[in-house]
Amino acid sequence: MGKVFVCDHPLIQHKLTYIRDERTNTKDFREYVDEVATLMAYEITRNIPLEKIKVKTPVTETESSIISGRMLGLIPILRAGLGMTEGVLKLVPAAKVGHIGLYRDPETLQPIEYYVKLPTDVQERELIVIDPMLATGGSANAAITALKKRDCTQIKLMCLIAAPEGIEAVQKEHPDVDIYVAAVDEYLNDHGYIVPGLGDAGDRLFGTK
Ligand SMILES: O=P(O)(O)OC[C@H]1O[C@H](OP(=O)(O)OP(=O)(O)O)[C@H](O)[C@@H]1O
Ligand SMILES: O=c1cc[nH]c(=O)[nH]1
Ligand SMILES: [Mg+2]
């Protein structure tokens, strides 16, 4: 079963409080989400492979490590996943970015796919699926399934806030996928919103409500 890593660094938890706060305006919300994504990326990339290269210091020649950033792929789920993507790219600028467009039908809560554009070598990359909210888990599961259909095998999921229901759903459908979150909240309300959560991530990021 996939592991759940809660990124509980004080800086992340501090910023998450302002992300949750309904008084935080769109500009500040976007900035906090971006900053938390960068901090979480530090944790998520902890085990990516290093390779040795030769480097000449002012004193001598030596061997030193670099990460194979080109082997990473970031897969934001549109729209809200876009809000975290630049923050991760700050740490791994060589990663390629693929987009999966999904929206959740407000009645059925089922994900509807409307766009997929992936790097041509996506199967060879370690992928991080990015979405701030893991609610029922339907969207994350659909995105991961779309990647697996294209022969992707190394997939992680990165979210800001997860409901226990969403974690369970992903662990059941994709037991090979580890999940990185800043917080696990209490439950889903009757409209499928995470409680206490932060409201609608896409609307708060883009000011659409
Ligand atoms: O776990 P789930 O129950 O599937 O819910 C989570 C999904 O809902 C939100 O997207 P939304 O459908 O609001 O689309 P948007 O990003 O375009 O606003 C969120 O960004 C996730 O993708
Ligand atoms: O709480 C939630 C659940 C799904 N999507 C959101 O943006 N927020
Ligand atoms: Mg939304």
Side-chain angles (χ1 to χ4, degrees), residues 15-16 23 48 59 61 82 90 129 144 152 154 157 163:
K15 291 173 196 296
L16 185 59
R23 295 169 302 179
I48 57 175
V59 180
E61 194 167 282
L82 291 176
K90 276 180 202 146
V129 173
I144 295 165
C152 301
Q154 302 181 73
L157 174 64

Side-chain angles (χ1 to χ4, degrees), residues 3 17 19 35 39 47 59 78 118 126 148 151 182 187 209:
K3 297 192 198 74
T17 299
I19 289 171
E35 289 169 11
L39 294 168
N47 294 318
V59 180
L78 306 182
L118 300 170
E126 279 192 34
K148 288 186 175 174
D151 299 325
Y187 62 94
K209 229 174 227 169

Side-chain angles (χ1 to χ4, degrees), residues 7-120:
C7 303
D8 58 359
H9 192 287
L11 287 174
I12 294 176
Q13 296 305 315
H14 174 86
K15 291 173 196 296
L16 185 59
T17 299
Y18 292 97
I19 289 171
R20 290 186 189 277
D21 191 329
E22 65 174 6
R23 295 169 302 179
T24 300
N25 65 31
T26 301
K27 172 180 174 289
D28 291 343
F29 185 89
R30 202 182 289 140
E31 284 175 11
Y32 283 127
V33 169
D34 177 71
E35 289 169 11
V36 168
T38 305
L39 294 168
M40 289 183 72
Y42 185 75
E43 199 56 47
I44 294 176
T45 52
R46 177 174 289 280
N47 294 318
I48 57 175
L50 292 171
E51 59 184 77
K52 293 271 189 205
I53 58 162
K54 286 206 169 68
V55 62
K56 205 161 172 291
T57 77
V59 180
T60 187
E61 194 167 282
T62 186
E63 279 208 330
S64 197
S65 302
I66 57 164
I67 58 164
S68 300
R70 66 181 181 285
M71 295 315 296
L72 277 181
L74 310 182
I75 313 290
I77 300 179
L78 306 182
R79 294 174 297 169
L82 291 176
M84 297 176 77
T85 303
E86 287 296 326
V88 180
L89 280 171
K90 276 180 202 146
L91 292 193
V92 283
K96 289 197 175 171
V97 181
H99 297 85
I100 298 185
L102 296 171
Y103 70 89
R104 203 170 69 147
D105 182 284
E107 299 299 323
T108 65
L109 302 185
Q110 291 307 302
I112 316 284
E113 184 182 297
Y114 60 87
Y115 186 72
V116 178
K117 181 75 181 174
L118 300 170
T120 46

Side-chain angles (χ1 to χ4, degrees), residues 98-208:
H99 297 85
I100 298 185
L102 296 171
Y103 70 89
R104 203 170 69 147
D105 182 284
E107 299 299 323
T108 65
L109 302 185
Q110 291 307 302
I112 316 284
E113 184 182 297
Y114 60 87
Y115 186 72
V116 178
K117 181 75 181 174
L118 300 170
T120 46
D121 59 355
V122 70
Q123 313 82 338
E124 291 156 34
R125 292 178 175 266
E126 279 192 34
L127 303 178
I128 304 175
V129 173
I130 301 176
D131 194 327
M133 309 307 278
L134 181 62
T136 65
S139 302
N141 272 342
I144 295 165
T145 300
L147 293 171
K148 288 186 175 174
K149 268 192 199 150
R150 292 162 176 86
D151 299 325
C152 301
T153 53
Q154 302 181 73
I155 303 171
K156 293 182 172 123
L157 174 64
M158 170 183 190
C159 307
L160 273 187
I161 299 179
E165 294 90 332
I167 290 175
E168 200 180 313
V170 174
Q171 285 181 326
K172 194 165 169 214
E173 202 162 316
H174 298 293
D176 55 315
V177 173
D178 288 341
I179 305 170
Y180 292 76
V181 297
V184 179
D185 276 7
E186 292 168 26
Y187 62 94
L188 294 178
N189 70 15
D190 293 343
H191 305 286
Y193 276 83
I194 299 175
V195 182
L198 53 75
D200 189 300
D203 285 337
R204 293 197 65 194
L205 276 167
F206 299 111
T208 39

